[in-house]
Amino acid sequence: MHATTETPVLRGATTVTIDTPDGAFTVIEADGAVLSSGWTDEPADLTGQIHPSIRATSFDPAASDVQPILDAVARYYDGDFAAVAQVRVRQVSGPFRTHAWEVLRTVEAGSIATYLQYAERAGNPTAVRAVAGACAKNAAALFVPCHRIIRTDGTLGGFRWGLPVKQRLLDREAGRSV
């Protein structure tokens, strides 16, 4: 993988797009933490997912450190699926959604959970719609693995970056050829 573009999007943030087996993958990073990421080569596809309070923040460009994040993505695609779990992420929302994103990071590669199981893990089995909303509003795709959550009937459900990408991620993590 190689960096193809590097364009600042937020004051002091770094935006880098790299090639992956699933297509272009863009990361917006500040202070060594992922603010937003996804399978696109258009940073504008990601900036709207960043909470307004973060977008209004001015980051110290000297504190940016995107290379370890890109290295973790490369290791993920080389089969070290836990590498992305070590990357810091910065997302802002209410208490339940923030907790739900933390819980998402505990769903290990190679396993999946239904929205109901995810709600149970988040401590509220009746919050199926709320955890689905947490997946939908997750700005840090791959690092907060919303792709590991599926519908109760076993179908994939939605994924901002397309169901083919979600299926390939799940297949790769399960050891199935992609």
Side-chain angles (χ1 to χ4, degrees), residues 19 31 35 41 47 58 88 101 113-114 121-122 132 137 142 149 153 165 176:
D19 295 323
D31 300 335
L35 303 180
D41 59 2
T47 54
S58 181
R88 288 188 321 114
W101 287 329
T114 66
R121 285 177 119 168
K137 295 292 186 180
L142 188 62
I149 308 302
D153 66 4
V165 171
R176 297 184 290 267

Side-chain angles (χ1 to χ4, degrees), residues 39-56:
W39 288 268
T40 180
D41 59 2
E42 295 292 330
D45 293 342
L46 299 172
T47 54
Q49 292 303 117
I50 301 171
H51 192 273
S53 68
I54 296 174
R55 286 194 307 258

